[in-house]
Amino acid sequence: MNGAESVVATLVEAGVEVCFANPGTSELHLVAALDRVPGMRCVLCLFEGGVTGAADGYARMTGKPAATLLHLGPGLMNAGANLHNARRAHSPVLNLVGEHATYHLQYDAPLTSDIAAVAGAVSAHIATASAAETVSKDAAEALAAAQTGQGRVSTLIIPADVAWGEGGVVASPVAAPARRTVSDELVKEAAAALGRGQAMILVGNGALMKEPLIKAAAVAQATSARLASIGRNPRLQRGVGTPVVERLSNPASQQIKQLGEIRNLILVGEEPPVAFFAHPDRPSVTTHPDCNIIRLADVHDDISECLDRLAAATGADIAAVPLQQLVRPDIPTGPITPDTVAMAVGALMPENCIVADESITVGRSFYRQTAGAPAHDWLHLPGGAIGIGIPLATGAAVACPDRKVINLQADGSGMYTLQALWTQVRENLNVLTVIWSNRSYKILRDELSNVGLPDPGPTALGMLDLSNPPLDWVSLARGMGADGRRVSDMDGFVEAFRDGLARNTPYLIEVEI
Amino acid sequence: MNGAESVVATLVEAGVEVCFANPGTSELHLVAALDRVPGMRCVLCLFEGGVTGAADGYARMTGKPAATLLHLGPGLMNAGANLHNARRAHSPVLNLVGEHATYHLQYDAPLTSDIAAVAGAVSAHIATASAAETVSKDAAEALAAAQTGQGRVSTLIIPADVAWGEGGVVASPVAAPARRTVSDELVKEAAAALGRGQAMILVGNGALMKEPLIKAAAVAQATSARLASIGRNPRLQRGVGTPVVERLSNPASQQIKQLGEIRNLILVGEEPPVAFFAHPDRPSVTTHPDCNIIRLADVHDDISECLDRLAAATGADIAAVPLQQLVRPDIPTGPITPDTVAMAVGALMPENCIVADESITVGRSFYRQTAGAPAHDWLHLPGGAIGIGIPLATGAAVACPDRKVINLQADGSGMYTLQALWTQVRENLNVLTVIWSNRSYKILRDELSNVGLPDPGPTALGMLDLSNPPLDWVSLARGMGADGRRVSDMDGFVEAFRDGLARNTPYLIEVEI
């Protein structure tokens, strides 16, 4: 057994089931090992940003890591932006990065680069394997690192001679450390703060899964606190049967207003809210200067157990939490606007669907219009690096083959990683992609006045304009084997959306908006 | 004048004429400054790999740096693979990377990451600006670093408050250090080694421009040495009127044979030849163990002046160098193969064209079949990170609007950065893209036996197969506003190639091969 085979066998034995891959020469023994050691599904992406965005989507929907297979430093850099997103989503991801043979590095061959430096910018754990005999242990440890807490990005660099070298042995699984338990003192402090009023429980990450969310809602109800989340969580279980959660707006100015009266902020799986970007003469922190912030449970803590104790301390009644009823908007007709498409999506989205949302500016009405839809999962963009939506939907569909995945996708960000559409076709994934074709980096146009540039010149406007030439997403999809159509009014959108939902195969709708 | 305006004014004054950009919020003041300070052309790309690949192509054809505008750490990572290539091509590139406002970094907002760590993997010079008053000096120094020697990748990180802060002043240009002069002793040693026979002059990088190349050829002729280059140089001036240069094959096994008799190897602008990848039980170094290697001129040294002295020391006669005559292959008919397309390209390529070659496996006959074509520049892939061809052609066309750019492009690598086709249309660039559609990562199939995997299983073969679904490049091009057609026999290719050459606008030919 060579080193590569021992790695694959170790990971399969530890429960890793999927590998998203864009391999090169230095990874060929790992690829070959996937044939020799059964049990790992290998999904090919045509660009590494697709690999890691898919691994993120898979991790969010399963709670477990996929492996990725990346080619040297350049492959890792191509994968980097979506690893940044996975890091911010606290998704467990295990990167296997091929490296030159150890004895070849000294010659500085063309593809040589400082892989560890790049890995350091996106990974919580980094190791470089040194021998075929021990690489499986390295892999088991890297996997445990990925599974620590809510999840982490973990990167194992595997030199080619370690992969092809004989002497590999299957390593025993390494247990990830248990989640930290929140102290009783902190729970008491949070309960006391909630008792003082003007309070908000800000839930994030794992606290947005239905069960902990109900507990948090019960606490909020018992203490008359507001229950809120920020607008860019990795996964939110919502719709019918879930508690209603207020959403903090992304623009800092609005967030400051929403948080203006709050003097006691209890963080559960979330960090203190801050502005996404600094803007001249505006504060970075969006809470009131007099707000008392209690970091009750970190994202990696045992959130659910912590909420049990907080519920007990506040006399919360989980059974009494009002849950969302089915309330659908009417289906609008006429022109396409962010509001009308949001209504149509809210009216039509099916039960148990997964929404991969990289709508950016078009998406501002979605939260409200889909709140009363049948139960669903909503995946957002915690890391802010655009170009995740199409890969994220791809990974979610690999994770959940029995569920419909709806990718609500801005056009500018979609262009970053459009290659993942090909993987959707190749794997025959159940993804409906909806492209909001506004033909601009509209969020940047909105940002111009925020940063003190209300009167941009033609060069600046030109840099934010995608209309010349117009992107034709139906042709782009066809180029990768996917069917699709373009719509320019609401009747067309509704018909196309219904059609896309009825299929179980990749389909794309380009919405002129 | 704010910091951003002072940077743009300083760069314009120092001769920087083009900025390739994919900006975000943190770069908006730099974008706005491009309106307020005239003189810089700004070219938008829809993905950062396009930005830096275009900057590389521009630098190779002009010898001077373009600026790039990149958005925070994720933007730099997206740009990273083609910055790796620029680094290996010794191209001068000046990256301006936006960063959060200095006072905002402490809050670890979503897009915060370690930009300098990533920059370090691809840059020879890295600096972070600290104040509006001094950022222009930082920019002038970063520009000088980019212009050092043959060229370097230089990265200046600009926090948003430094860009928008008032107090900027235009900085004086900083002179790049002069190229190092090669010592007389080394020239004498090289001349003596050439006199011992079994010698080769291995020219690379700047030594492949016509004038120094003629000098090197004269030395080779005078000493009966062989004159060769490796097969992946950033820019080679060749065709009619240039000296004939032997090409070392990329596969190490062939390179070892070519170098087998050489006992005196004189390096001029080149490093000692090594295998691109290590292969089990094969040497990393491709020269004979007894070969005496003389590093005469480093890539960053004054190569041309060094060759003058070497020519004098060896009694070389520049006027006596035989130069390539016009010798075109016949235009073949029948099926499309790597040989027949190479013949057709050699028969039809116009005088003074620029070839951006990322053909990978299909390209193995091009060197021979185009040797006697009219004078042209050939751009190759020194860094080995695939996904450069389409951006490289884009940048070369921006640099040389009066020349035809022919991008010979493999399909697998083309998919990495296909977004650059949109920029070609937007800028109405004179680029003919020829996609070799073999629908596989064929080079990896060839590599399987090299790395000791002669019998790959279905998973491994599947990872190298791009035929399901087949990519439809004509639709992909149409999606980005470019015309094109698909051809499947030589008559079709020749007609389409002639048609594409006759246009002055972007055109794509998908060649089923």
Side-chain angles (χ1 to χ4, degrees):
Chain A
M1 177 177 274
N2 66 27
E5 290 158 357
S6 76
V7 168
V8 174
T10 297
L11 296 181
V12 168
E13 197 146 305
V16 178
E17 294 178 292
V18 174
C19 176
F20 295 97
N22 186 273
T25 295
S26 47
E27 292 72 51
L28 285 177
H29 281 84
L30 287 157
V31 170
L34 294 168
D35 279 307
R36 297 185 188 159
V37 181
M40 181 103 68
R41 177 180 177 187
C42 196
V43 177
L44 177 63
C45 303
L46 296 187
F47 179 70
E48 292 90 344
V51 168
T52 48
D56 187 1
Y58 176 89
R60 293 192 203 180
M61 293 313 302
T62 60
K64 54 188 270 186
T68 74
L69 210 47
L70 302 170
H71 185 47
L72 294 149
L76 179 62
M77 285 189 273
N78 283 335
N82 275 337
L83 287 175
H84 170 90
N85 285 329
R87 176 169 80 93
R88 292 292 184 184
H90 310 290
S91 291
V93 174
L94 173 60
N95 301 308
L96 306 178
V97 183
E99 170 62 293
H100 281 301
T102 51
Y103 58 83
H104 197 64
L105 277 172
Q106 63 186 302
Y107 300 109
D108 195 34
L111 277 164
T112 309
S113 67
D114 188 348
I115 300 178
V118 178
V122 289
S123 312
H125 173 93
I126 307 160
T128 302
S130 58
E133 292 81 359
T134 51
V135 64
S136 63
K137 187 160 170 289
D138 298 329
E141 287 170 359
L143 179 63
Q147 292 169 316
T148 299
Q150 175 77 6
R152 319 225 176 178
V153 175
S154 179
T155 301
L156 178 61
I157 301 166
I158 304 181
D161 53 337
V162 170
W164 75 53
E166 286 300 320
V169 287
V170 181
S172 304
V174 174
R179 288 192 173 220
R180 203 184 56 170
T181 303
V182 173
S183 73
D184 279 332
E185 288 68 31
L186 210 46
V187 172
K188 272 185 209 160
E189 187 184 336
L194 286 164
R196 288 195 292 274
Q198 291 182 289
M200 175 184 283
I201 304 172
L202 188 64
V203 281
N205 296 288
L208 293 171
M209 299 291 280
K210 184 177 172 183
E211 294 308 323
L213 197 51
I214 289 176
K215 297 176 193 176
V219 172
Q221 189 181 34
T223 59
S224 301
R226 282 158 66 191
L227 178 67
S229 73
I230 62 166
R232 44 172 195 275
N233 266 281
R235 180 180 178 189
L236 171 56
Q237 292 192 316
R238 62 195 294 267
V240 171
T242 66
V244 176
V245 182
E246 179 185 353
R247 186 195 204 196
L248 297 189
S249 297
N250 278 326
S253 55
Q254 293 173 41
Q255 201 172 100
I256 287 169
K257 279 183 204 157
Q258 288 177 282
L259 291 166
E261 294 185 355
I262 299 300
R263 294 296 176 275
N264 293 287
L265 182 68
I266 315 299
L267 301 175
V268 181
E270 191 52 271
E271 296 288 307
V274 296
F276 199 85
F277 286 110
H279 292 139
D281 305 320
R282 295 199 211 158
S284 290
V285 172
T286 55
T287 44
H288 191 278
D290 297 334
C291 181
N292 171 37
I293 298 179
I294 296 177
R295 293 168 172 266
L296 178 61
D298 180 80
V299 59
H300 297 296
D301 290 346
D302 190 340
I303 288 171
S304 191
E305 188 273 345
C306 167
L307 286 170
D308 285 335
R309 281 185 285 142
L310 185 64
T314 55
D317 180 2
I318 286 168
V321 172
L323 301 177
Q324 178 69 51
Q325 303 296 305
L326 185 70
V327 188
R328 300 255 209 183
D330 293 332
I331 296 177
T333 58
I336 289 177
T337 71
D339 284 324
T340 56
V341 288
M343 290 173 72
V345 170
L348 297 171
M349 56 191 283
E351 175 140 23
N352 208 29
C353 71
I354 301 164
V355 178
D357 178 14
E358 198 179 26
S359 298
I360 320 278
T361 51
V362 172
R364 287 175 182 160
S365 297
F366 281 120
Y367 194 82
R368 189 165 44 89
Q369 298 292 358
T370 59
H376 60 274
D377 286 275
W378 198 279
L379 314 184
H380 216 271
L381 176 49
I386 61 172
I388 195 175
I390 303 175
L392 193 72
T394 304
V398 168
C400 303
D402 299 331
R403 300 176 65 176
K404 188 79 195 179
V405 179
I406 303 171
N407 173 204
L408 305 178
Q409 183 61 53
D411 54 353
S413 48
M415 279 302 287
Y416 276 56
T417 49
L418 72 164
Q419 303 94 338
L421 285 172
W422 181 85
T423 301
Q424 292 178 11
V425 177
R426 178 177 162 106
E427 300 288 329
N428 198 28
L429 300 177
N430 191 357
V431 182
L432 169 59
T433 303
V434 183
I435 302 285
W436 311 121
S437 183
N438 64 14
R439 294 168 180 172
S440 76
Y441 289 133
K442 184 163 184 311
I443 192 161
L444 295 180
R445 296 190 63 157
D446 298 348
E447 279 284 273
L448 280 167
S449 62
N450 284 330
V451 299
L453 296 165
D455 300 309
T459 304
L461 288 175
M463 286 302 98
L464 314 180
D465 172 25
L466 311 184
S467 70
N468 173 28
L471 291 166
D472 165 2
W473 277 91
V474 176
S475 289
L476 291 171
R478 183 179 304 126
M480 290 177 277
D483 289 333
R485 83 172 85 165
R486 184 176 305 112
V487 299
S488 55
D489 62 25
M490 281 308 295
D491 287 349
F493 175 67
V494 168
E495 183 189 315
F497 195 67
R498 283 189 162 127
D499 179 23
L501 291 175
R503 295 165 184 246
N504 294 315
T505 54
Y507 192 69
L508 180 142
I509 305 169
E510 178 179 353
V511 182
E512 291 183 22
I513 195 166
Chain B
M1 177 176 276
N2 66 25
E5 290 157 357
S6 77
V7 167
V8 175
T10 298
L11 297 181
V12 168
E13 197 145 306
V16 178
E17 295 178 291
V18 175
C19 175
F20 295 97
N22 186 272
T25 295
S26 47
E27 291 73 50
L28 285 178
H29 282 85
L30 287 158
V31 170
L34 294 168
D35 279 309
R36 297 185 188 160
V37 181
M40 181 103 68
R41 176 179 178 188
C42 196
V43 177
L44 177 63
C45 302
L46 296 186
F47 178 70
E48 291 90 344
V51 168
T52 48
D56 188 1
Y58 176 89
R60 293 192 203 180
M61 293 313 302
T62 60
K64 56 187 268 186
T68 74
L69 210 47
L70 303 170
H71 186 46
L72 294 150
L76 180 62
M77 285 190 271
N78 282 336
N82 275 338
L83 287 176
H84 170 91
N85 285 328
R87 177 170 77 94
R88 292 293 183 183
H90 310 291
S91 290
V93 174
L94 173 60
N95 300 308
L96 306 178
V97 183
E99 169 64 293
H100 281 301
T102 51
Y103 59 83
H104 197 64
L105 277 172
Q106 63 186 302
Y107 301 108
D108 196 32
L111 277 165
T112 308
S113 68
D114 189 347
I115 300 177
V118 178
V122 289
S123 313
H125 172 92
I126 307 159
T128 301
S130 58
E133 292 80 0
T134 51
V135 63
S136 62
K137 186 160 171 290
D138 298 329
E141 288 170 358
L143 179 63
Q147 293 169 315
T148 298
Q150 175 76 8
R152 319 226 175 176
V153 175
S154 178
T155 301
L156 178 61
I157 302 165
I158 304 181
D161 53 337
V162 170
W164 76 51
E166 286 301 320
V169 287
V170 181
S172 304
V174 174
R179 288 192 173 220
R180 205 185 56 171
T181 303
V182 173
S183 73
D184 279 331
E185 289 66 31
L186 209 47
V187 173
K188 273 184 207 157
E189 188 185 336
L194 287 164
R196 289 196 291 273
Q198 292 183 289
M200 175 184 284
I201 304 171
L202 189 63
V203 281
N205 296 289
L208 293 171
M209 298 291 280
K210 183 177 173 184
E211 295 309 322
L213 197 52
I214 288 176
K215 298 175 192 176
V219 172
Q221 189 182 33
T223 59
S224 301
R226 283 158 64 191
L227 179 68
S229 73
I230 61 166
R232 45 172 194 274
N233 266 282
R235 181 180 177 189
L236 171 56
Q237 292 192 314
R238 62 195 293 269
V240 171
T242 67
V244 176
V245 182
E246 179 184 353
R247 186 196 205 196
L248 297 188
S249 297
N250 277 327
S253 56
Q254 293 173 43
Q255 200 172 101
I256 287 168
K257 279 183 203 158
Q258 288 177 282
L259 292 167
E261 293 184 355
I262 298 301
R263 295 295 178 274
N264 293 287
L265 182 68
I266 315 299
L267 302 176
V268 181
E270 191 52 271
E271 296 288 307
V274 297
F276 198 86
F277 286 110
H279 292 138
D281 305 321
R282 296 200 210 157
S284 289
V285 172
T286 55
T287 44
H288 190 279
D290 297 334
C291 182
N292 170 38
I293 298 179
I294 296 177
R295 293 166 171 268
L296 178 60
D298 178 81
V299 59
H300 297 296
D301 290 346
D302 189 340
I303 289 172
S304 191
E305 187 274 346
C306 167
L307 285 169
D308 285 335
R309 282 185 285 142
L310 185 64
T314 55
D317 179 3
I318 286 167
V321 172
L323 299 178
Q324 178 70 51
Q325 304 297 304
L326 185 70
V327 188
R328 299 257 211 183
D330 292 332
I331 296 177
T333 58
I336 289 176
T337 70
D339 284 325
T340 55
V341 289
M343 291 172 72
V345 170
L348 298 171
M349 57 192 281
E351 176 142 22
N352 206 29
C353 70
I354 301 163
V355 178
D357 178 14
E358 198 178 27
S359 298
I360 321 279
T361 51
V362 172
R364 286 173 182 161
S365 297
F366 281 121
Y367 194 83
R368 189 164 45 87
Q369 298 293 358
T370 58
H376 59 274
D377 285 275
W378 199 279
L379 314 184
H380 216 269
L381 176 51
I386 61 172
I388 195 175
I390 302 175
L392 193 72
T394 304
V398 168
C400 303
D402 298 331
R403 299 176 65 175
K404 187 80 195 178
V405 179
I406 302 171
N407 173 205
L408 304 177
Q409 183 60 53
D411 54 353
S413 47
M415 280 302 287
Y416 277 54
T417 48
L418 72 164
Q419 302 93 339
L421 284 172
W422 182 85
T423 300
Q424 293 178 10
V425 177
R426 177 176 163 106
E427 299 288 329
N428 198 28
L429 300 177
N430 191 357
V431 182
L432 170 59
T433 304
V434 183
I435 301 285
W436 311 121
S437 184
N438 64 13
R439 294 169 179 171
S440 75
Y441 289 133
K442 185 163 184 311
I443 193 161
L444 294 179
R445 297 192 62 156
D446 297 350
E447 278 285 272
L448 280 166
S449 62
N450 284 331
V451 298
L453 296 165
D455 300 309
T459 304
L461 288 176
M463 285 303 98
L464 314 179
D465 173 26
L466 310 185
S467 70
N468 174 29
L471 291 165
D472 166 2
W473 277 92
V474 177
S475 289
L476 291 171
R478 183 178 306 126
M480 289 177 278
D483 289 333
R485 81 172 86 165
R486 185 176 305 113
V487 299
S488 55
D489 63 25
M490 281 308 294
D491 287 349
F493 174 69
V494 169
E495 184 190 315
F497 195 68
R498 283 189 162 129
D499 179 23
L501 291 175
R503 297 163 184 247
N504 293 315
T505 53
Y507 192 69
L508 181 141
I509 306 169
E510 178 179 354
V511 182
E512 292 184 20
I513 195 165

